Amino acid sequence: MTDGHPLIVPVNGLSTHAWVRGRGKPVVIVPGLGCASWMYARLARELARERQVFVYDPPGHGYSEGRAGYPVCISHLTDHLAAWMTRVNLRSAPLLGHSLGGEVIIDLAGRYPHLSGPLIACAPTGIPENPSVRMQLLRLLRDLPRERPGLLLPGLKAYAHCGARRMILLARDQEDHMTGPLLGQVRVPTLLLDGLSDPVIRSWTVRRIQADIPGAVIRQIPGAPHGLTDTHPRAVAAFALEFLRELNM
């Protein structure tokens, strides 16, 4: 990222990084599996036209520290996000999560309702579709040619930093993590963004998630692959900002 500034704070003994950009009311971007803050620069730029954007790096991702055995499950990611939001005084801030980040913010809203603001989940993983790790990899390979070529090197850098072992363990945890009752515990306004060219998270999956979260709404983005936050940042930001303006948040 070429503008903004880093925010680095200790959280549970780990140096935790976020990139901060823009002014105004806050919104927090939570990356997907293996992803890093620098992969969301295009979206952050669009959101920063109206918001102060915090692009958070989960532990073991991006510029944030991890440990050999942490994080290795989704509850680790959720608990750390909750601790970080408390540490930097972002309680009740709107959360925008991509892919696994969408699952994490939904988990946070169910388990830490006092911390969560409105949710914007872009191509969220989770119930009811939890494919095997092998199937997830095959879908990601199908998705790869649809992504912006300029994301390839930043993505490879992020995955190498996160490490294959951590990514596999987190992906495996998706198979048993989310449940219908947990989704039903979400009590904050929720927007689900569905990329219509996404082979990883299908539209029917997004509709099923919508059915389990009270009052959730869906907006669709034609031509968007799984990495819709990078390929279609203006559309994602437009839907997100409109959603937050309607809530006066």
Side-chain angles (χ1 to χ4, degrees), residues 55-90:
V55 193
Y56 159 80
D57 276 325
H61 293 64
Y63 296 117
S64 291
E65 289 182 337
R67 299 190 185 98
Y70 179 93
V72 294
C73 62
I74 294 168
S75 63
H76 286 170
L77 297 176
T78 304
D79 294 344
H80 188 276
L81 175 61
W84 176 80
M85 291 177 69
T86 301
R87 176 69 174 77
V88 298
N89 197 27
L90 284 173

Side-chain angles (χ1 to χ4, degrees), residues 14-235:
L14 296 173
S15 176
T16 302
H17 171 271
W19 191 262
V20 185
R21 184 174 194 154
R23 297 180 179 179
K25 296 179 180 179
V27 61
V28 177
I29 296 177
V30 181
L33 175 62
C35 297
S37 52
W38 57 77
M39 297 174 66
Y40 296 86
R42 286 159 61 86
L43 176 59
R45 185 180 304 119
E46 296 298 328
L47 291 170
R49 298 178 188 277
E50 295 187 22
R51 292 265 169 175
Q52 186 176 40
V53 185
F54 293 78
V55 193
Y56 159 80
D57 276 325
H61 293 64
Y63 296 117
S64 291
E65 289 182 337
R67 299 190 185 98
Y70 179 93
V72 294
C73 62
I74 294 168
S75 63
H76 286 170
L77 297 176
T78 304
D79 294 344
H80 188 276
L81 175 61
W84 176 80
M85 291 177 69
T86 301
R87 176 69 174 77
V88 298
N89 197 27
L90 284 173
R91 299 174 187 85
S92 302
L95 299 169
L96 188 155
H98 170 236
S99 192
L100 181 64
E103 186 169 346
V104 169
I105 66 172
I106 291 169
D107 189 38
L108 184 133
R111 294 176 49 220
Y112 293 91
H114 61 291
L115 291 178
S116 176
L119 306 181
I120 303 156
C122 306
T125 59
I127 280 296
E129 183 179 71
N130 283 315
S132 67
V133 173
R134 177 177 174 274
M135 184 59 69
Q136 290 183 53
L137 289 173
L138 289 173
R139 290 182 179 184
L140 286 169
L141 287 174
R142 287 182 56 199
D143 179 69
L144 190 59
R146 310 177 192 203
E147 300 294 345
R148 187 175 64 90
L151 188 63
L152 178 60
L153 289 180
L156 290 175
K157 175 185 173 184
Y159 294 157
H161 174 77
C162 186
R165 178 181 179 273
R166 192 189 312 279
M167 292 178 65
I168 290 170
L169 290 172
L170 289 170
R172 284 178 177 165
D173 192 50
Q174 290 180 272
E175 297 178 18
D176 302 310
H177 175 243
M178 296 290 266
T179 64
L182 179 60
L183 293 173
Q185 293 171 14
V186 175
R187 290 291 183 268
V188 293
T190 301
L191 171 66
L192 305 173
L193 295 183
D194 176 21
L196 294 185
S197 293
D198 183 355
V200 181
I201 301 298
R202 315 291 179 80
S203 292
W204 71 266
T205 305
V206 179
R207 291 194 296 270
R208 286 286 302 277
I209 293 174
Q210 178 195 30
D212 285 333
I213 297 179
V217 297
I218 295 175
R219 296 292 181 264
Q220 295 180 320
I221 301 179
H226 190 61
L228 70 171
T229 52
D230 179 77
T231 59
H232 292 67
R234 289 185 179 179

